[in-house]
């Protein structure tokens, strides 16, 4: 009995000691689990410093690496500690991918990042330059050249907010937008990404940044990145700096200009972007007076980071380091040294990321690139990730799924189309104004290959990088559809892409709407020395406008050669690249709203005059900067 009692007591003491041990272990393990960088109550810099102090060189260099979606398996992200993933133009999880497909893809990648030792979330970036332009059924807004013609920063801010919601709907927290280039030569194939040739207008239109990111609090330190919450995205001012001023408008070329010229024309939008809390800045492929921007220590580190006190991160353009040398990738090791030393923090290496990681690691270990430079880069990247809220909410959900391409955003895009249209001519001399058009007519002719082509209407950076032709790329309304839905039910609308004179006469049309312009293009492929209207556009203008009263709508990313045809045209409208909501064109043509847009670019007579911008001594335009006729809405039409 005594032995039994002693055994019972021993078991009780053992159980007690085990309980004490477990309690102590719980306290110890709980303390081990608590880390400052995971505590949202801690100040931002405390969290950054705590995390940075725990990181190995491999983890730091991983944070500096951004790879293309195609390579970004969870395993790759985990193995190399990859800090960021991007979709290049047209890079999607599947054709016509749903919101759910996008969210699942991003979350699957995020699992790879969150399962690393420190669990630093990756940040996914995408071009959203006129709405969420890679994504099927997203709202496609007018390109920036059209938004510049609205002179309406409040509208542009709303567009930023709508775009942010659509991007977040697909699980993405970071956009490579806005482009704040000041395009000084329309021969440049990215000119439509620029709001204006006038830096003041581009500065005003940086209101898109608080639209995308949320309004920065009044007492915030200037230059510190700001993202308001889960309905907003980190934005990127691009392409730093002088990308719109290259010689002959050639993409990625040399911008030949004095420092005063650079600072007074191309730099001002960056001042506004930084004051508004822009999260990141993307470096331009171009050079300034022969020095590649990706290797320009003075402009990236001395000026942007030190003088302007920008505290977000600086990112390369697509394979931007490769292009430091000519030909590209001739000496990749040198390119890494030059770019990282210049002050670049995150490197877009879509495909050869292992080569980049290995080479940069070697350079740090050999003292070629100091650890302080690496720490500066990673500190900036972490600052943006903390600001975006990725540590608190690394995974996306489907709570915003209904935001993609919703009615409210399409109505906003339609408003933007209305306000972006510039009326260049309204009636021949001595005649009554032609616009607004009457809705009641027996027959109307609609002509031109741009009248019924949603792809042409949207332009480049739409579903595909260079854009597409046709009406099956995404959801939207063509100009032809818009005309049909606007005119009186008894009015017959006749459509022909390229009508001959006999066809035109036989229609007996009261008047014609002719839509002509450029085919879609993006950077590089869009550079043009002749800036002509796509065939058979000129022929359609001549055939139609000789026989019937005509309004010509120009769908283009920039001013094009129109001077030879102006006298034969009754009314002329610059519609730029209006996007998916073609109904906005008909709204103004038929007088439901008045024309109010003003040229954000000078319209030249001949390409021989280029470059020509307002204020130049040889200024002799066809239509000057700021030009735009107005009309009044018609109550009963």
């Amino acid at each position: 009995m005594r032995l039994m009692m002693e055994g019972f007591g021993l078991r009780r003491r053992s159980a007690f000691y085990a309980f004490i041990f477990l309690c102590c272990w719980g306290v110890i393990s709980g303390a081990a689990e608590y880390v400052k960088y995971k505590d949202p109550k801690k100040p931002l810099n405390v969290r950054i410093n705590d995390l940075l102090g725990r990181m190995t060189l491999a983890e730091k260099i991983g944070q500096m690496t951004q790879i293309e979606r195609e390579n970004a398996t969870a395993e790759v992200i985990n193995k190399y500690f990859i800090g960021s993933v991007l979709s290049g133009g047209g890079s999607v999880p599947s054709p016509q991918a749903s919101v759910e497909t996008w969210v699942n893809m991003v979350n699957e990648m995020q699992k790879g990042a969150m399962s690393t030792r420190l669990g630093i979330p990756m940040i996914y970036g995408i071009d959203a330059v006129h709405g969420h332009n890679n994504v099927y059924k997203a709202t496609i807004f007018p390109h920036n050249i059209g938004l510049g013609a609205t002179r309406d920063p409040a509208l542009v801010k709303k567009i930023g907010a709508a775009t942010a919601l659509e991007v977040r709907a697909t699980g993405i927290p970071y956009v490579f937008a806005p482009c704040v280039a000041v395009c000084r030569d329309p021969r440049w194939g990215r000119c439509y990404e620029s709001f204006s040739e006038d830096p003041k207008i581009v500065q005003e239109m940086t209101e898109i940044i608080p639209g995308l990111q949320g309004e920065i609090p009044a007492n915030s330190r200037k230059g510190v990145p700001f993202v308001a919450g889960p309905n907003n995205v980190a934005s990127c001012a691009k392409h730093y700096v002088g990308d719109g001023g290259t010689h002959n408008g050639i993409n990625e070329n040399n911008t030949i200009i004095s420092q005063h010229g650079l600072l007074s024309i191309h730099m001002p939008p960056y001042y506004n972007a930084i004051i508004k809390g822009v999260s990141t800045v993307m470096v331009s492929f171009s050079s300034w007076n022969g020095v590649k921007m990706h290797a320009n220590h003075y402009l990236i580190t001395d000026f942007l980071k030190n003088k302007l006190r920008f505290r977000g991160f600086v990112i390369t353009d697509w394979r931007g380091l490769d292009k430091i040398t000519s030909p590209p990738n001739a000496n990749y090791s040198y390119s890494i040294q030059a770019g990282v030393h210049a002050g670049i923090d995150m490197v877009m290496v879509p495909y050869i990321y292992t080569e980049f990681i290995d080479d940069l690691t070697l350079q740090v270990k050999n003292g070629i690139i100091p650890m302080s430079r690496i720490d500066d880069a990673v500190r900036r990247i972490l600052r943006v990730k903390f600001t975006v809220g990725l540590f608190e909410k690394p995974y996306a959900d489907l709570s915003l799924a209904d935001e993609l391409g919703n009615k409210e955003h399409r109505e906003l895009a339609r408003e933007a189309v209305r306000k972006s249209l510039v009326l260049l001519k309204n009636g021949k001399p001595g005649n009554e104004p032609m616009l607004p058009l009457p809705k009641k007519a027996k027959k109307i002719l609609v002509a031109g290959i741009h009248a019924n082509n949603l792809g042409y209407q949207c332009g480049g950076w739409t579903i595909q990088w260079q854009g597409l032709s046709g009406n099956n790329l995404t959801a939207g309304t063509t100009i032809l559809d818009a005309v049909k839905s606007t005119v009186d039910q008894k009015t017959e609308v006749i459509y022909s892409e390229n009508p001959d004179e006999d066809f035109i006469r036989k229609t007996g049309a009261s008047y014609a709407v002719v839509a002509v312009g450029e085919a879609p293009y993006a950077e590089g492929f869009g550079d043009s020395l002749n800036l002509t209207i796509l065939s058979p556009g000129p022929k359609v203008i001549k055939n139609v406008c000789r026989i019937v009263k005509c309004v010509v709508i120009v769908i283009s990313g920039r001013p094009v050669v129109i001077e030879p045809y102006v006298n034969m045209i009754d009314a002329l409208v610059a519609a730029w690249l209006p996007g998916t909501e073609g109904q906005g064109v008909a709204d103004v043509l038929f007088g439901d709203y008045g024309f109010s847009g003003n040229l954000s670019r000078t319209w030249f007579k001949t390409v021989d005059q280029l470059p020509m911008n307002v204020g130049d001594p040889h200024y002799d335009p066809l239509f000057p900067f700021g030009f735009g006729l107005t009309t009044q809405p018609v109550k009963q039409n």
Side-chain angles (χ1 to χ4, degrees):
M1 183 72 179
R2 186 180 169 196
L3 283 170
M4 283 178 67
M5 291 299 291
E6 282 180 354
F8 180 70
L10 187 65
R11 283 198 301 275
R12 286 188 66 183
R13 283 197 301 276
S14 297
F16 176 73
Y17 292 142
F19 175 73
I20 294 295
F21 173 80
L22 287 170
C23 288
C24 293
W25 175 250
V27 171
I28 293 164
S29 62
E33 280 174 12
Y34 174 80
V35 285
K36 289 178 184 176
Y37 76 86
K38 290 184 177 179
D39 185 350
K41 294 174 184 172
K42 290 289 181 188
L44 180 60
N45 282 334
V46 170
R47 299 179 77 185
I48 293 169
N49 289 335
D50 179 64
L51 179 51
L52 193 62
R54 297 171 187 273
M55 293 172 73
T56 64
L57 178 60
E59 287 164 334
K60 290 174 181 178
I61 288 175
Q63 285 303 301
M64 296 172 68
T65 309
Q66 185 182 64
I67 67 173
E68 220 287 327
R69 180 199 61 78
E70 289 175 43
N71 313 310
T73 63
E75 293 73 28
V76 165
I77 292 167
N78 179 279
K79 181 179 178 181
Y80 295 100
F81 310 105
I82 298 297
S84 186
V85 179
L86 85 151
S87 275
S91 177
V92 297
S94 61
Q96 301 185 0
S98 67
V99 166
E100 190 172 5
T101 301
W102 278 97
V103 167
N104 289 343
M105 178 193 72
V106 175
N107 282 347
E108 186 60 33
M109 294 174 184
Q110 192 66 282
K111 285 177 190 172
M114 296 308 292
S115 62
T116 55
R117 183 178 71 94
L118 295 170
I120 304 171
M122 70 89 191
I123 187 166
Y124 197 107
I126 196 164
D127 287 278
V129 298
H130 61 146
H132 199 7
N133 51 258
N134 280 283
V135 176
Y136 182 61
K137 289 190 174 177
T139 310
I140 304 298
F141 294 92
H143 267 297
N144 287 353
I145 188 170
L147 298 183
T150 69
R151 302 296 200 275
D152 191 342
L155 173 71
V156 169
K157 185 178 179 180
K158 287 180 191 172
I159 289 170
T163 300
L165 285 168
E166 297 206 14
V167 172
R168 279 288 199 170
T170 56
I172 296 170
Y174 175 31
V175 298
F176 308 126
C179 177
V180 295
V182 182
C183 175
R184 304 291 284 178
D185 193 328
R187 292 175 293 185
W188 184 39
R190 301 193 84 148
C191 207
Y192 62 76
E193 295 185 55
S194 167
F195 292 107
S196 179
E197 70 190 43
D198 180 358
K200 290 189 182 68
I201 290 174
V202 183
Q203 285 182 278
E204 288 171 6
M205 295 303 171
T206 59
E207 269 302 281
I208 197 168
I209 293 168
L212 290 163
Q213 297 194 154
E215 194 72 56
I216 192 164
N219 59 350
S220 294
R221 282 177 56 210
K222 299 298 180 265
V224 176
F226 174 79
V227 178
N231 290 353
N232 297 96
V233 291
S235 70
C236 179
K238 65 184 190 181
H239 309 84
Y240 185 82
V241 59
D243 52 340
T246 58
H247 181 61
N248 288 340
I250 298 167
N251 195 47
E252 304 182 15
N253 205 257
N254 192 20
T255 300
I256 305 163
I257 195 170
S258 67
Q259 179 158 333
H260 173 75
L262 188 80
L263 297 186
S264 60
I265 294 171
H266 298 285
M267 192 67 80
Y270 289 94
Y271 305 149
N272 298 70
I274 289 163
I275 288 167
K276 289 170 183 176
V278 74
S279 296
T280 71
V281 170
M282 184 183 289
V283 182
S284 175
F285 286 128
S286 57
S287 303
W288 176 43
N289 296 335
V291 178
K292 287 279 187 181
M293 273 307 310
H294 275 78
N296 196 314
H297 184 277
Y298 167 69
L299 283 174
I300 297 172
T301 295
D302 297 345
F303 197 86
L304 178 64
K305 289 184 171 182
N306 296 342
K307 190 177 178 78
L308 300 185
R309 301 189 63 76
F310 172 62
R311 291 291 175 265
F313 68 77
V314 177
I315 186 169
T316 71
D317 207 328
W318 179 273
R319 296 183 64 192
L321 289 192
D322 306 38
K323 297 185 179 185
I324 287 174
T325 58
S326 186
N329 208 14
N331 185 342
Y332 193 50
S333 186
Y334 165 76
S335 294
I336 292 170
Q337 179 188 341
V340 175
H341 173 72
I344 287 165
D345 304 310
M346 186 177 281
V347 180
M348 205 183 277
V349 274
Y351 305 114
I352 55 165
Y353 55 92
T354 54
E355 186 182 340
F356 166 74
I357 289 167
D358 291 346
D359 202 307
L360 182 54
T361 302
L362 199 64
Q363 292 199 38
V364 176
K365 285 182 175 176
N366 290 338
I368 298 166
I369 292 174
M371 198 67 188
S372 59
R373 175 72 273 275
I374 301 299
D375 285 347
D376 171 58
V378 177
R379 183 182 299 279
R380 289 165 178 276
I381 292 163
L382 295 178
R383 183 177 289 124
V384 170
K385 289 186 175 186
F386 278 119
T387 303
V388 170
L390 284 173
F391 282 83
E392 283 65 63
K393 194 186 175 193
Y395 294 106
D397 56 41
L398 294 172
S399 60
L400 295 174
D402 292 342
E403 297 290 346
L404 189 84
N406 71 14
K407 190 173 187 298
E408 186 183 348
H409 296 166
R410 290 188 182 276
E411 284 300 318
L412 180 64
R414 183 173 168 181
E415 178 190 353
V417 174
R418 291 195 294 263
K419 291 181 174 178
S420 68
L421 302 176
V422 180
L423 182 56
L424 299 174
K425 183 180 181 181
N426 192 13
K428 289 178 178 174
N431 292 354
E432 291 287 309
M434 185 177 178
L435 301 177
L437 298 171
K439 292 179 183 176
K440 291 182 178 179
K442 192 173 181 184
K443 292 180 181 178
I444 299 171
L445 173 63
V446 177
I449 58 174
H450 288 68
N452 190 35
N453 194 314
L454 197 62
Y456 282 7
Q457 207 170 284
C458 291
W461 288 107
T462 309
I463 305 299
Q464 296 286 336
W465 174 39
Q466 294 289 328
L468 294 162
S469 173
N471 292 335
N472 59 353
L473 69 160
T474 191
T477 306
T478 67
I479 292 167
L480 176 64
D481 292 334
V483 170
K484 286 179 176 178
S485 67
T486 304
V487 296
D488 189 80
Q489 288 182 340
K490 294 176 182 175
T491 299
E492 183 184 352
V493 178
I494 302 158
Y495 173 61
S496 173
E497 284 190 352
N498 184 15
D500 60 26
E501 292 187 13
D502 284 346
F503 179 91
I504 297 161
R505 285 193 178 91
K506 284 175 184 173
T507 64
S510 303
Y511 58 83
V513 176
V514 178
V516 297
E518 297 186 293
Y521 55 82
E523 57 193 287
F525 296 89
D527 291 353
S528 171
L529 293 175
N530 55 31
L531 297 180
T532 50
I533 290 169
L534 183 66
S535 179
K539 182 184 163 195
V540 175
I541 293 172
K542 289 172 186 172
N543 284 350
V544 174
C545 296
R546 262 195 216 119
I547 296 166
V548 62
K549 283 183 74 173
C550 69
V551 52
V552 172
I553 301 165
V554 181
I555 306 290
S556 67
R558 53 202 163 185
V560 289
V561 174
I562 196 75
E563 196 263 347
Y565 323 113
V566 169
N567 289 338
M568 64 181 77
I569 293 168
D570 293 277
L572 178 61
V573 177
W576 315 113
L577 298 169
T580 51
E581 305 315 301
Q583 191 64 49
V585 176
D587 287 343
V588 183
L589 279 185
F590 292 95
D592 292 328
Y593 295 82
F595 278 92
S596 60
N598 300 95
L599 287 179
S600 55
R601 303 207 54 76
T602 296
W603 204 295
F604 58 86
K605 291 176 181 173
T606 71
V607 289
D608 298 336
Q609 296 175 296
L610 299 175
M612 177 176 65
N613 296 285
V614 63
D616 288 351
H618 65 289
Y619 198 68
D620 181 28
L622 180 63
F623 300 106
F625 172 86
F627 182 81
L629 303 172
T630 58
T631 59
Q632 294 303 311
V634 179
K635 287 182 182 176
Q636 298 292 325
N637 189 355

